[in-house]
Amino acid sequence: QVQLVESGGGLVQPGGSLRLSCAASGFTLDYYAIGWFRQAPGKEREGVSCISSSDGSTYYADSVKGRFTISRDNAKNTVYLQMNSLKPEDTAVYYCATGGSSCSGGMDYWGKGTLVTVSS
């Protein structure tokens, strides 16, 4: 059974950092791209970042470039999202998802999300 579980969310002050984890089970992460998405209250879900399976290429939304870093540890079957210089507008539920080897494909499997709140 394919399962993705996010963790690491919480309350942080503006300018602070958090590291989110996406732990995969039921499949081998090596062959899959993993994307991070977020949904803020009253807004549509948006893509934040993605890491491909083949060459580890990474992609970022313009709003997080230079502040967020995605990485993967295939030995731990886990993908991370390091978030620095957090802003109040980063407040959202963050989800990880996968669906194939490419970041350009659709996402078929989703975690339940972890809440990130950036506030003083």
Side-chain angles (χ1 to χ4, degrees), residues 31-64:
Y31 306 112
Y32 290 84
I34 298 291
W36 282 98
F37 299 78
R38 67 185 181 186
Q39 187 166 22
K43 295 188 176 181
E44 292 188 355
R45 186 173 62 201
E46 62 174 345
V48 175
S49 182
C50 187
I51 185 166
S52 71
S53 67
S54 55
D55 59 2
S57 296
T58 57
Y59 305 90
Y60 298 94
D62 288 343
S63 58
V64 306

Side-chain angles (χ1 to χ4, degrees), residues 98-110:
T98 188
S101 60
S102 171
C103 286
S104 61
M107 298 292 175
D108 300 316
Y109 301 98
W110 293 80

Side-chain angles (χ1 to χ4, degrees), residues 4-119:
L4 296 169
V5 179
E6 304 92 339
S7 62
L11 174 64
V12 63
Q13 292 186 341
S17 298
L18 283 175
R19 188 178 79 158
L20 304 184
S21 298
C22 173
S25 61
F27 69 102
T28 302
L29 199 60
D30 305 42
Y31 306 112
Y32 290 84
I34 298 291
W36 282 98
F37 299 78
R38 67 185 181 186
Q39 187 166 22
K43 295 188 176 181
E44 292 188 355
R45 186 173 62 201
E46 62 174 345
V48 175
S49 182
C50 187
I51 185 166
S52 71
S53 67
S54 55
D55 59 2
S57 296
T58 57
Y59 305 90
Y60 298 94
D62 288 343
S63 58
V64 306
K65 277 181 183 175
R67 300 189 299 122
F68 290 12
T69 303
I70 191 170
S71 62
R72 63 194 301 152
D73 186 338
N74 289 340
K76 294 184 178 180
N77 234 32
T78 300
V79 170
Y80 303 98
L81 186 68
Q82 178 67 43
M83 306 188 298
N84 299 329
S85 302
L86 283 161
K87 305 175 181 179
E89 50 263 44
D90 294 318
T91 295
V93 177
Y94 284 73
Y95 302 87
C96 62
T98 188
S101 60
S102 171
C103 286
S104 61
M107 298 292 175
D108 300 316
Y109 301 98
W110 293 80
K112 294 183 178 180
T114 185
L115 176 63
V116 172
T117 303
V118 185
S119 175

